């Protein structure tokens, strides 16, 4: 019986090459055909021979088109080369839509190799056990959609806060301030790591976020009334 081609999926950790696992480095040494979701990652240097997909983010009509295109390119290569390596930032099982699409693809056998996520660094820096405090994790782009669930629910970590428009959407999602101040987790694991507080009202005008920025709302105790949710402006 013909076996399916194999797609190994690794994560490059949340920061520089020092946070890439030994197992991931061994696969980079041994699997010839290699892909990296984005070259915009501080550990991308460990995969000098990989092809990356950044151009898709620039040329696709919408970001919804990017991930199926990545899946198709990786599967096509696996069908031709029988074994390929696909790498993503952080952990492959945390907020990686292309990994979910590959896992659902019956043309290939997918082997996911666990790695450190930015979440591991976040909990360590904050001194928080997410299970003990019942932390919630959400995507900044979906903040308004989740607002009713979030308010009154305790601590929340918000990922994907990569530009000021998103920070504005988060701040203006509710007519009332959700918390007095927010902890910004910026470039965790890098030399210029910064963790600082900003007042809720200054969230979208006091620092420059990027693809390595997250927010920690230590306690969203205030309840938002449904009529006070603005939703996304864009
Ligand atoms: C698409 S998710 C991918 C997460 C990745 N798979 C992981 O496990 O680290 C990307 C988001 O994770 C957060 N993030 C990733 N690396 C980070 C870092 N070094 N410092 C702070 N936040 C980070 C940011 O919010 C970013 O927008």
């Amino acid at each position: 019986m013909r076996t399916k081609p194999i797609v190994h999926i690794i994560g490059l950790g949340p920061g520089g090459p020092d946070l890439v696992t030994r197992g991931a480095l061994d696969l980079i040494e041994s699997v010839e055909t290699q892909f990296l979701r984005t070259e915009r990652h501080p550990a991308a240097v460990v995969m000098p021979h990989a092809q990356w997909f950044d151009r898709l983010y620039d040329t696709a009509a919408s970001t919804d088109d990017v991930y199926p295109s990545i899946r198709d390119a990786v599967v096509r290569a696996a069908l031709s080369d029988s074994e390929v390596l696909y790498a993503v930032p952080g952990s492959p099982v945390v907020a990686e839509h292309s990994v979910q699409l590959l896992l659902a693809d019956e043309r290939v056998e997918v082997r996911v190799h666990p790695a450190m996520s930015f979440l591991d660094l976040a909990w360590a820096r904050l001194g928080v056990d997410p299970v003990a405090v019942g932390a919630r994790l959400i995507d900044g782009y979906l903040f308004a959609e989740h607002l009713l669930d979030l308010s009154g629910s305790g601590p929340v970590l918000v990922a994907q806060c990569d530009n000021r428009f998103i920070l504005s959407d988060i701040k203006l999602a509710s007519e009332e301030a959700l918390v007095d101040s927010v902890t910004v987790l910026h470039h965790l694991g890098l030399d210029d790591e910064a963790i600082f507080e900003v007042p809720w009202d200054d969230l979208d005008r006091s620092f420059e976020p990027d693809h390595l920025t997250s927010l920690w709302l230590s306690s969203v105790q205030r309840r938002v009334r449904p009529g006070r949710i603005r939703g996304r402006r864009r």
Side-chain angles (χ1 to χ4, degrees):
M1 197 180 76
R2 198 171 184 280
T3 53
K4 290 181 184 179
I6 298 170
V7 177
H8 292 280
I9 305 186
I10 58 170
L12 294 187
D18 55 313
L19 298 179
V20 182
T21 66
R22 181 74 258 163
L25 292 172
D26 288 346
L27 282 163
I28 293 167
E29 281 290 306
S30 62
V31 180
E32 201 170 328
T33 307
Q34 303 182 2
F35 298 93
L36 178 54
R37 176 167 68 73
T38 172
E39 197 212 3
R40 278 183 80 212
H41 188 270
V45 287
V46 301
M47 297 185 73
H49 306 300
Q51 301 169 56
W52 52 82
F53 294 108
D54 297 78
R55 80 197 130 73
L56 288 179
Y57 290 89
D58 301 331
T59 54
S62 113
T63 45
D64 293 345
D65 299 338
V66 171
Y67 300 108
S69 302
I70 292 177
R71 174 204 53 207
D72 291 342
V74 172
V75 169
R76 254 196 323 273
L79 290 168
S80 125
D81 296 0
S82 79
E83 187 180 41
V84 300
L85 183 63
Y86 175 55
V88 296
S91 159
V93 297
V94 175
E96 293 294 338
H97 190 52
S98 59
V99 173
Q100 296 306 318
L101 293 180
L102 282 163
L103 280 168
D105 198 303
E106 298 197 339
R107 293 171 292 175
V108 288
E109 177 188 331
V110 173
R111 296 189 189 163
V112 175
H113 303 269
M116 189 192 280
S117 170
F118 82 97
L119 292 173
D120 294 288
L121 289 179
W123 308 134
R125 301 298 193 260
L126 291 164
V128 159
D129 174 342
V131 177
V133 301
R136 307 256 326 246
L137 306 172
I138 62 155
D139 179 331
Y141 282 71
L142 303 176
F143 192 84
E145 281 87 328
H146 288 294
L147 195 52
L148 263 193
D149 295 343
L150 291 180
S151 64
S153 75
V156 181
L157 192 139
V158 190
Q160 313 259 68
C161 309
D162 46 32
N163 62 63
R164 285 192 180 206
F165 296 111
I166 293 302
L167 296 180
S168 234
D169 282 344
I170 290 172
K171 181 177 108 175
L172 299 173
S174 158
E175 286 178 12
E176 298 139 284
L178 284 186
V179 288
D180 293 331
S181 72
V182 178
T183 306
V184 179
L185 306 166
H186 189 64
H187 287 197
L188 295 176
L190 300 180
D191 289 344
D192 61 347
E193 171 177 308
I195 299 172
F196 51 92
E197 293 287 311
V198 295
W200 180 258
D201 287 340
D202 292 341
L203 185 58
D204 53 350
R205 56 184 181 218
S206 54
F207 66 101
E208 203 51 60
D210 65 18
H211 63 297
L212 301 176
T213 304
S214 304
L215 304 177
W216 172 245
L217 280 55
S218 62
S219 169
V220 187
Q221 296 301 346
R222 288 175 202 156
R223 292 205 168 272
V224 178
R225 281 168 280 144
R228 311 291 273 179
I229 295 179
R230 286 192 172 117
R232 286 181 60 185
R233 292 171 302 121
R234 292 173 309 111

